[in-house]
Amino acid sequence: MLLSRVTKHVKDQNWFAVVLDFCIVVAGILIAFQINAWADRQAVQKSTKASLTMLLSDLTLDIERLDLVTEAQSMRIDALQRVIERLKDPNPNYDEVAEDFNLAIENTRTLLVRDTVYDTMEKEGQLVVLPPELRRKISMTYGYDFPALATAGLQMDENADEVESRCVDAYWDRELRVPISETSEDLARLRNCITNLRGYSMWYLSSSEGQYRQNAEALKTALEIELVMKRDL
């Protein structure tokens, strides 16, 4: 109908009407584009809000896991320190040494992160629509901090396994729960092995409790604020 009207105006050389019809067509197209863009933004905002909610849930669990990690490593450090001190005793109680050593081995927890939501948001481009500061905090925590902690945990485990297999097992009989040799030199070497294990845990604990944790807590607060703002819109 509009096309036939335009054709008629052209034949009649009614250029004002032609221009008016053209403006109506262009305006209609622009309005349609605006409506589609608005619908797309609404869909992205809705999807992003759902992703942020899931990310906050993951982060809350990750921080709880980080608490368990620091607790376990603290117990491991304390147990290894007791082993070192007891092995300095002229007449050590090897049953107590074995109990503390076993306690230390059992408390080797490291951080395993839930990063599926972050990976999905990154792949689907949801991060780019977020406020810059929130985007920076998310990328810092899940793109750098948590992966760095996971890598540090793997490195600590590898180093600890190496020390236990090559060093501790050379001087400590796990089955009999006594030193293989009770000479002062061998007991000193055993203490050095335990000291190295303790050092790895102290290094990992320091990383877990430092800036990485602060960044995770800051991100949690920022996510909570952002979700409240989106809810109020």
Side-chain angles (χ1 to χ4, degrees):
M1 179 177 179
L2 181 59
L3 180 60
S4 62
R5 191 171 66 188
V6 171
T7 303
K8 180 179 182 302
H9 290 157
V10 172
K11 288 180 179 179
D12 296 341
Q13 295 187 350
N14 186 351
W15 304 119
F16 175 78
V18 170
V19 172
L20 181 61
D21 289 338
F22 176 78
C23 291
I24 292 173
V25 171
V26 171
I29 293 174
L30 290 176
I31 291 173
F33 277 140
Q34 289 295 327
I35 292 174
N36 288 336
W38 177 83
D40 289 342
R41 285 196 299 271
Q42 289 294 106
V44 170
Q45 288 180 359
K46 184 176 180 181
S47 174
T48 301
K49 180 181 178 182
S51 296
L52 289 177
T53 300
M54 291 188 291
L55 185 66
L56 177 58
S57 177
D58 279 359
L59 179 61
T60 301
L61 291 174
D62 287 332
I63 292 175
E64 290 176 357
R65 287 192 181 94
L66 195 55
D67 291 337
L68 294 176
V69 166
T70 56
E71 181 182 356
Q73 291 297 335
S74 295
M75 291 178 64
R76 176 178 168 84
I77 290 168
D78 291 343
L80 290 173
Q81 182 60 37
R82 288 194 297 271
V83 170
I84 295 169
E85 295 301 323
R86 285 181 170 131
L87 288 174
K88 293 179 181 179
D89 193 301
N91 296 299
N93 184 326
Y94 290 130
D95 286 337
E96 292 179 348
V97 171
E99 288 176 5
D100 278 327
F101 189 58
N102 289 336
L103 177 62
I105 293 174
E106 291 171 1
N107 285 281
T108 57
R109 186 188 295 267
T110 57
L111 183 64
L112 297 176
V113 179
R114 298 165 60 93
D115 54 6
T116 304
V117 175
Y118 168 75
D119 289 343
T120 300
M121 292 183 70
E122 190 175 39
K123 290 176 183 177
E124 295 184 355
Q126 293 179 345
L127 294 178
V128 298
V129 303
L130 297 175
E133 183 61 18
L134 178 60
R135 183 170 66 246
R136 185 193 68 80
K137 290 181 185 297
I138 293 174
S139 297
M140 176 63 71
T141 297
Y142 278 97
Y144 175 75
D145 290 349
F146 281 167
L149 270 179
T151 301
L154 291 174
Q155 186 63 56
M156 185 197 71
D157 288 341
E158 290 179 4
N159 291 339
D161 289 343
E162 184 77 7
V163 170
E164 287 182 22
S165 62
R166 291 181 176 271
C167 188
V168 174
D169 288 348
Y171 302 104
W172 179 259
D173 191 318
R174 295 176 187 261
E175 184 176 351
L176 296 179
R177 296 159 59 95
V178 295
I180 293 175
S181 168
E182 292 190 88
T183 64
S184 58
E185 293 82 2
D186 286 340
L187 288 177
R189 294 187 182 100
L190 178 56
R191 289 198 304 272
N192 287 337
C193 298
I194 302 300
T195 299
N196 287 335
L197 289 178
R198 185 174 181 274
Y200 293 138
S201 287
M202 290 180 67
W203 166 71
Y204 187 74
L205 180 62
S206 175
S207 300
S208 301
E209 290 186 326
Q211 189 63 45
Y212 294 159
R213 171 181 287 279
Q214 294 178 25
N215 289 344
E217 295 286 359
L219 173 58
K220 184 173 184 290
T221 300
L223 286 173
E224 291 170 343
I225 293 173
E226 179 69 15
L227 287 170
V228 168
M229 292 175 61
K230 286 184 176 296
R231 184 187 64 196
D232 293 339
L233 291 178

